[in-house]
Every structure is written in structure tokens, then in C-alpha cells.
Amino acid sequence: MARLFGATGDGIARLEESGGAWTVEQSLTGTGAQCVAVDPHDPDTVYAGLREGGVRRTRDAGRSWVDCALPEPGVFSLAVSPADGAVYAGTEPSRVFRSDDGGESWRALDALLDLPSRPTWSFPPRPWTSHVRWIAPSPHDAELILVGIELGGLMRSGDGGASWQDHRPGAQPDVHSLAWHPLVDGRAYEAAGGGAAFSTDAGETWQPADDGRDHHYTWSVAVDPDDPDCWYVSASTGPFAAHGGGDPQARIYRRRDDEPWRPLTGGLPEPLPSMPYALLAADGRIFAGLADGQLWETRDRGDRWTALRLEGDTLGRLVALAPA
């Protein structure tokens, strides 16, 4: 039986697969949950990042939650390292915190704030600030971390956050999501406001990957766990279409073996009714969570998609997904 956790922008949803349907059970309703991360070593331990309430943790798969007392309230990104279990939280204003005891205590990785580019960091809707949109600890090296600032750049640390390299050559600066390949050391992927990029040298340098795709405002990224040359992005024509609540002008694309991007349409509604905010590779499938709460899956690398039947609590929105 598969299980996913989703952030809805309001709370956290636990989705359990059983008998051809998925049962939705909501918790933390009304907290403004923006992001979610599951401990890869304990699927019942889940962290929720709240827009104004810091980090909450559950050790019983969402039945009860505790406040982890993060020093900053505005959390936009979370990650649990597959390599050593460290928990990372990214906030607005842009800061990164690390916990080595499951969220009981935190230390700020504030060397990030010493980067020369910091004065230029600015999120266009709130230009006086910026935030850490994504944190990607390497599954192969516990000391290696990628961080995306919206809008500011893609930063890299090779020493667990004690020091940082500024925006990496070839990467897009308006970072929305990042991924590592789980098996192939050194392969990393980016979806950003100006397009997509990938790295073959553990995030030191990046190469653009935009050929064949006419929508360049990319949002979510996922990679086939068995094939580092097969990856996916969701994309729109721009931020107003993607987030404006009208026609998202959105597509899901696949890239394989250095071929141009291909839009995936088999089984998906055309046009898509809302932005695919969350792409996730898990359990031999690719899941797509939409801004209106729809959840789709493909079992054949995107050639054919199926809408999942959701039961239980109403799922009105999905902004992030995590596997359990």
C-alpha cells in the first residue's frame, strides 16, 4: 500500500492507497502549510513547514504534531538528508537551519548570508525580501547541499553548510525546485523561472536544457530513479499564468537521452485545468499534484496518465508532495 504526504497551502494531507482509491486525511488545517518532508528512514516521521508558524513534526504519520521551535516563522522549504538524516528548513527572509536531532534543536547556517550576491536577492512580489525556495541535500554525500533562493541563485555547500559557493555557473537564478539522482552520483536537476538545467559534476556547474520546450517558466522537477537521462518538469508561459488562478497555460514535459523536451498529453486533460505544482517519482510511478487538488499518475514514464480517485477529506489544493 503506497502512501504520500501533501502540503495544501492550508494544511497537510496524508494519502493512503487501498483498493484502487486513495483515502485523504487532513491535519494541521488552517496552519498555512507550504512544504512537507518525510524522513526516508522512518516513514511515520514527517515535517511540515508553515508560512507563519515554523516547523511541525509528527512521529505517528500525521495523527499528532509538535512544534519544533524553529527560530524563524516563515518556512518555504524542508528536506531530510537521505545520507545522514539531518533536517533542513529554509525560510523567508532567506536563511537555512539544520537540525541533527530530529527538529529538537536548530543551528543557523548563516554563512549563506555572507555571499557576495546577497544584496541582489529579491522576490518580485515582495521585492524587499527573498526566501529559500528549495533545499536539496545530496543522497550520496552528507556534506553536500544545494539551496535555491527565489529570486537569488543556486548556492552550493560541500561542508554541511559551514561555507557556501555563490550562484553556480550555468544555473538559473530564479530557482523553484531541485533534485538529485538517487543512484548516480553527481547528477542534479533544476526547474526555474527562466528554464531548466542539469549538472553532471555534483552541482559545481550547470548546463541549460530548454530545447523543444515552448514554455520556459518551469516549476517542479522529478527524475526517473532508474535512468538519470529521463526527467520531467512542469511548466507554464509565465508566473501570472501559473499562479493567477485562471488558465495556467501549463504542460508537463519529459526529456530523455539528451533529446528535446516532449510535452506529455496522453490521458491528461487539454488544456490542464490548473498548474502542476508538484511532480514526484515514487513507487515506480510519476505523480503530478495540481493546484486544484487533482492527483494524476503515470506508470509508463509519462506516455499515459490516469486521474487518481480520492476519497475521504476534500483535497482542494496541492502545492507539494513527498513519498512515505
Side-chain angles (χ1 to χ4, degrees):
M1 181 176 66
R3 185 169 70 188
L4 304 174
F5 285 90
T8 70
D10 178 58
I12 296 295
R14 185 179 69 200
L15 300 100
E16 302 266 4
E17 183 180 29
S18 179
W22 291 73
T23 300
V24 180
E25 184 175 343
Q26 303 242 27
S27 60
L28 290 182
T29 304
T31 61
Q34 300 293 305
C35 50
V36 60
V38 179
D39 187 335
H41 305 292
D42 179 4
D44 287 339
T45 297
V46 185
Y47 300 86
L50 312 184
R51 183 69 176 264
E52 297 179 354
V55 173
R56 305 283 177 87
R57 183 192 67 225
T58 177
R59 296 197 188 278
D60 55 15
R63 295 174 181 84
S64 62
W65 296 84
V66 298
D67 187 346
C68 291
L70 190 76
E72 291 277 2
V75 180
F76 278 70
S77 53
L78 285 170
V80 183
S81 171
D84 65 357
V87 184
Y88 295 91
T91 66
E92 178 180 297
S94 291
R95 296 179 75 188
V96 174
F97 296 86
R98 172 174 173 150
S99 174
D100 293 301
D101 54 11
E104 294 293 330
S105 62
W106 301 87
R107 57 187 173 94
L109 305 181
D110 279 347
L112 181 72
L113 306 182
D114 297 330
L115 290 174
S117 68
R118 184 194 176 192
T120 68
W121 302 353
S122 177
F123 179 57
R126 298 186 296 280
W128 57 89
T129 190
S130 66
H131 49 253
V132 177
R133 169 61 69 181
W134 205 270
I135 305 172
S138 168
H140 310 288
D141 180 351
E143 296 297 297
L144 181 55
I145 315 161
L146 301 178
V147 160
I149 306 292
E150 188 181 32
L151 169 63
L154 198 165
M155 317 310 182
R156 180 183 187 273
S157 175
D159 55 13
S163 65
W164 295 87
Q165 296 169 288
D166 214 328
H167 179 62
R168 306 316 303 142
Q172 287 284 337
D174 185 15
V175 184
H176 291 150
S177 59
L178 299 164
W180 291 98
H181 196 274
L183 301 179
V184 180
D185 196 1
R187 297 295 295 269
Y189 312 81
E190 177 194 19
F198 67 96
S199 173
T200 60
D201 59 6
E204 282 280 2
T205 61
W206 295 75
Q207 303 174 52
D210 296 313
D211 51 314
R213 197 184 63 249
D214 56 354
H215 290 36
H216 295 301
Y217 184 81
T218 62
W219 188 260
S220 187
V221 63
V223 59
D224 188 307
D226 298 317
D227 182 358
D229 294 317
C230 180
W231 51 301
Y232 307 80
V233 295
S234 62
S236 177
T237 55
F240 296 107
H243 313 305
D247 179 4
Q249 302 175 40
R251 290 178 176 171
I252 300 172
Y253 293 84
R254 181 184 69 205
R255 179 182 173 95
R256 297 179 72 178
D257 301 323
D258 295 326
E259 296 177 354
W261 289 98
R262 172 191 166 191
L264 302 176
T265 57
L268 290 170
E270 295 186 63
L272 284 171
S274 60
M275 187 67 187
Y277 276 142
L279 297 181
L280 173 69
D283 193 36
R285 295 175 267 185
I286 303 295
F287 295 94
L290 274 57
D292 64 359
Q294 293 187 53
L295 186 62
W296 291 73
E297 71 164 12
T298 176
R299 296 171 181 255
D300 58 8
R301 295 183 169 179
D303 289 334
R304 188 73 185 174
W305 294 78
T306 303
L308 299 183
R309 181 160 56 93
L310 304 179
E311 300 176 343
D313 294 340
T314 299
L315 191 60
R317 187 172 174 82
L318 274 172
V319 298
L321 284 170

